[in-house]
Amino acid sequence: MTFILSGFADEISPDLDEQLAVLAAESISHLELRSVWSTNVADLDDAQLVRIRRRLDESGVQVSAIGSPIGKIGIDAPLAPELERLRRVADVAHELGTRLVRVFSFFVPQTQHPRLYRARVIDRMSQLAALGAERGLVLAHENEKEIYGDRPERCTDIIESVGSPALRATFDAANFVQCGVRPHSDAYALLRPYLVYVQVKDALTGTGEVVPAGQGDGEVRETLAELRDSGFQGYLSLEPHLAMAGRFGGFSGPDGFRIACRALKDLLADLSVQWQ
């Protein structure tokens, strides 16, 4: 079993060259594109895409997924602009050679029960999935805090209710911890049938602080072991958030990213899992 390591390279630096240098030093040949030059992936223009493609080709680095912001808006916000943004993200994904695009299931009011918004979320996610299928994408839903799909049962409900192979799941242990969920014990079995991607970060239950993989309560070791044993074919994408964590992203810096890499690689070595 060999896992492919990737990472949110904008956690290293806004500068693409610095991102690529750190990835090369860590022998990581993939990146997840969320932003570069402080520009969100959905807002990159054609000239910037050409520059990115050229530098990636020169460096021998491939794009594992697009870390898009699609669906990270309020449930009451108009959907049409978000669909248009997904069309642009699809163009970026095709230009950079990936079909995987991370998405979210809309922020819902924290003062009301999420079930009040279920029908609207399912309708919106169905429209995103239909467009994704049309453009040859696989949308990987992330269990983000404060969105409808923050807990495993709602994540699973979204995917099963939409019923499209263009909508699958990514797994973020730290986000589950911060929602009071035990990631492996409570979430893994529900999401494993739909899992196409794993975002690697850990967190402490008491404070919600994000820590390197295996140093928190995210049951990362247990999840990696079961992924190994079940023959998971996919990416492990580092999203360390060791210096800053916010609603729309995080940052670690070069040193923090290296710390996160070492923690993950040590876990994989302990589990006798090869990586590339």
Side-chain angles (χ1 to χ4, degrees):
M1 174 57 58
T2 300
F3 292 152
I4 302 175
L5 300 195
S6 183
F8 287 77
D10 60 351
E11 295 249 350
I12 299 168
S13 167
D15 181 71
L16 181 60
D17 287 336
E18 188 170 10
Q19 294 177 14
L20 294 172
V22 172
L23 292 175
E26 292 295 333
S27 301
I28 295 177
S29 60
H30 289 74
L31 63 78
E32 182 163 353
L33 188 66
R34 180 173 55 195
S35 71
V36 66
W37 307 307
S38 299
T39 301
N40 187 273
V41 65
D43 300 319
L44 293 169
D45 61 31
D46 290 345
Q48 290 172 316
L49 275 182
V50 170
R51 290 175 62 194
I52 293 169
R53 176 77 277 168
R54 183 174 63 248
R55 288 294 295 119
L56 293 178
D57 289 344
E58 291 169 351
S59 302
V61 171
Q62 299 179 60
V63 175
S64 58
I66 301 298
S68 90
I70 301 300
K72 217 170 197 182
I73 59 173
I75 189 64
D76 293 324
L79 185 62
E82 204 69 351
L83 292 170
E84 192 59 35
R85 279 162 66 82
L86 181 55
R87 293 185 180 94
R88 177 56 181 168
V89 167
D91 292 339
V92 173
H94 290 311
E95 175 65 22
L96 299 181
T98 184
R99 298 176 61 224
L100 286 169
V101 172
R102 179 189 64 164
V103 298
F104 303 89
S105 53
F106 305 96
F107 292 118
V108 295
Q110 298 301 293
T111 56
Q112 296 177 300
H113 198 286
R115 67 170 173 266
L116 298 174
Y117 298 93
R118 179 183 180 277
R120 294 170 66 185
V121 168
I122 299 302
D123 176 69
R124 287 179 164 223
M125 296 304 293
S126 295
Q127 293 186 61
L128 292 178
L131 178 54
E134 177 186 314
R135 297 299 302 273
L137 303 177
V138 175
L139 307 182
H141 174 264
E142 179 181 340
N143 53 291
E144 176 63 88
K145 301 178 296 296
E146 300 178 2
I147 64 171
Y148 178 83
D150 58 350
R151 298 184 62 84
E153 61 274 12
R154 287 197 286 269
C155 294
T156 304
D157 180 44
I158 291 168
I159 296 169
E160 292 178 347
S161 297
V162 171
S164 169
L167 181 63
R168 303 286 90 175
T170 185
F171 192 94
D172 189 307
N175 288 351
F176 276 136
V177 169
Q178 293 166 345
C179 291
V181 173
R182 296 176 301 168
H184 187 75
S185 302
D186 300 336
Y188 176 80
L190 284 174
L191 289 173
R192 180 63 182 93
Y194 311 109
L195 204 58
V196 295
Y197 208 76
V198 176
Q199 293 170 209
V200 180
K201 66 177 186 282
D202 205 344
L204 301 174
T205 297
T207 63
E209 177 188 356
V210 178
V211 295
Q215 297 179 23
D217 299 302
E219 302 178 316
V220 177
R221 177 185 295 272
E222 293 87 341
T223 296
L224 291 175
E226 287 225 19
L227 288 170
R228 175 200 62 195
D229 295 343
S230 68
F232 175 71
Q233 299 291 325
Y235 298 96
L236 304 180
S237 184
L238 284 156
E239 189 185 15
H241 282 17
L242 293 184
M244 185 275 289
R247 202 179 199 194
F248 294 96
F251 187 72
S252 299
D255 291 341
F257 196 86
R258 292 186 187 100
I259 289 169
C261 285
R262 176 48 51 200
L264 175 58
K265 290 174 183 177
D266 286 348
L267 274 178
L268 294 176
D270 287 346
L271 294 168
S272 299
V273 175
Q274 296 183 348
W275 57 269
Q276 63 181 35

